[in-house]
Amino acid sequence: MNYTIDVLLNKIIKDGKTAGYDIDKIMDAYKLANSSHEGQLRSSGEPYISHPLAVAFILLDFNMDTDTIAAALLHDVVEDSGVELGMLRKKFGEDVALMVDGVTKIGRVSINATKEEEHAENIRKILLGMAKDVRVILIKLADRLHNLRTLNHRPPDKQRSTALETMSFYTPIAHRLGMNELKEEMEDLSLRYLDPYGFKSIEEQVHNRREQRESFIEKIMHRISERIGEMAPPPKMVGRVKSNYSIYKKVIVDGKNFDEIYDIYAVRIIVQSVIECYNILGIIHDMFRPIPFRFKDYIATPKPNRYQSLHTTVMGREGIPFEVQIRTVEMHNTAEYGVAAHWKYKVGLVAKQKHRDNVGDTGRLEWLRHVLDQQQDGGNVVNIAEAIKTDLATDDVYVFSPKGDIITLPLGSTVIDFAYAIHSQVGNKMTGAKVGGRMVKFEYQLVTGDIVDIMTTNSSSYGPNRNWLDIVKTNSAKVKIRAWFRRERRAENITEGKSMLERELRRNSLPHDAELISKAARELRFEETDEFYASMGYGGIQMTRVIHKVKELYISSIAHTEEHTHEINDIDLSSSISKKQSKGVIVEGIDNCLVRFANCCTPLPGDEITGFITRGYGVSVHKSDCVNVSSGKDERLIKVEWAHFNDLYYRAAIDVIGENRPGLIADISSVIFENKFSIDEFNTKKLKNKNVCLEITLEIANVEQLKSIIAKLQKVPGVIMATRRDS
């Protein structure tokens, strides 16, 4: 669609909304955005202003108010054009400035900040802005949706990273806000880039059954209409099919046959009252045979995002199972638009400041307060990503206290998570747990319907166990456990932190140097070394980050020392023979030489290597058994060795032969990303025997890492062989 200001204004006028909008304010916002983005183009070649116009257009579908539309038009001017927030505040008011600031990415956190920390800070900034005004996240979701709709113009690596970020952060947020329609579109668009083969397979199967589906749903709705048509006013009925991503999860991930999915077809019945919902449920069960264990009452037990509806799966005369969803008009609006239904249906068009504080949405945003509390309670900013992936997971379990209170937790949560969800003190004083009246282990994973009774002690000397950090699922429980250890066991934490660091330093052959450790503590933002040790002791900072920083500083200190008179792991750096490290390789006898790694054998740390002096290109490093150097003249061969402290990454090529099945690429990519490897190249080609060959180039630190990832890839279903490519 070609988005222009005329299209935007026509939508307002066409829908008869002009009485509720300040057209002059919207036009002023457009003019400033248009002049600020003048000359800027999107990847598609379109003028950049088309993007903020599209975001505003999406928000108009939710009937968002004037300030939200103005903020949508201006949402990139601070980040991309240098417009000052103060000017926006003066010209458009506090609300617009707050929303624009909430969706504007921060600059670089600090000189020493990693990309992961910067990303986490940006997420935290969005959540903080959202806590002040929920419209911040609505603008960000609309922004992401339009970016996904136009993602085909971006490079493949950007497509994949954007889709992954969407699935790990934005779709869980949309789910928690109850914005089902927007969430499903983002999932389908992301899937197109995460697993194009799987997506195409599902899309084709849905398309091939289109006529059959439409005919079947039409017959079902006609039969139901004949039975309930006398109700006044008559219920509204719509037919629907599950989203492509929902089908993908069941077919590709769960391994089900397309025809085994019971709720792929659905009829939605919308009525006026809760009593009518249950009356129609009885009629449906009288007309069709209910399938056992396929009934869910989300009216009596709403989902955490306030979703309410009756779901029942029944069997029609044709022998085809289908789902019936029954809900009121208000439930339907909440299900489709979530928190945005506040503007669309309740408050109306003029959502003034007095309504801004998420009226009626206190429960829906409870999770947000938990996430923000974790940051105030000592949680490391990087842990926010973990919180999004666990505490905001779309799969939940519903469990009960002995008094009948419902506690909602992410799938995989334990009785310890349950205890901390009730209260911090319940978790801290927990001595055991009963589920359904019988004792269970702390590791017991809860399932929907469990009745959990937590046993506690009044002893002041009792507290949580450090092992609980490895057991609990929710980030909120981890933060509360760490907070207890930080508060109650400072001396113990310092001792434990020192012991842990000493073990890791020995394991990595690094010196226990007080000055080095003190400098690492400062660069990791700890004012005191004891605070640094204590944080390691209670799990506030990951040991991998600490060792990485110490190693980085140690190597830097060696590189800047003119004379090295000490030994490093028996490697004498003051040898009379000149040795120069370059790209993680020490070349004997030559200073400041150019080093490059041969593409024919792609050596990695751990391989036996040799150097070959080339004409004009320095030293080419090969594996010792490479055929291209085994026949070389002796006088051009030179001794090289891997530097003992090598914090570099190298390109390593892997060939994976597998069955050409939907989902194979997604499964392989998941294994790679779960193990935190970066992909440089990813190519596929079909083989004559109908199998597929995946040519993958990764960034690898050493041979052991390469062997590890190859072993894991060989376990992926459908993979026939995974091998290192040497040439």
Side-chain angles (χ1 to χ4, degrees), residues 606-617:
D607 288 327
E608 293 292 329
I609 54 175
T610 188
F612 186 77
I613 300 174
T614 62
R615 292 184 176 88
Y617 295 99

Side-chain angles (χ1 to χ4, degrees), residues 404 571 596:
I571 299 176
R596 66 184 183 91

Side-chain angles (χ1 to χ4, degrees), residues 374 377-380 383 386 420 428 464-466 469-470 472 474-489 493 534-535 537-542:
Q374 289 160 23
D377 207 9
N380 187 283
N383 289 341
E386 182 183 351
Y420 278 103
N428 292 338
N465 190 302
R466 291 184 190 275
L469 290 169
D470 298 323
V472 294
T474 59
N475 201 59
S476 58
K478 291 180 181 179
V479 168
K480 290 173 182 177
I481 294 168
R482 289 170 183 151
W484 186 89
F485 277 104
R486 184 180 70 253
R487 189 172 55 248
E488 304 291 338
R489 297 286 190 269
N493 291 333
S535 183
Y538 68 75
I541 186 169
Q542 296 175 338

Side-chain angles (χ1 to χ4, degrees), residues 38-55:
E38 187 174 2
Q40 297 177 2
L41 300 176
R42 303 199 80 218
S43 300
S44 61
E46 295 176 297
Y48 192 86
I49 189 63
S50 64
H51 170 63
L53 280 166
V55 174

Side-chain angles (χ1 to χ4, degrees), residues 24 42 197 268 610:
D24 290 338
R42 303 199 80 218
Y197 293 103
R268 186 172 290 155
T610 188

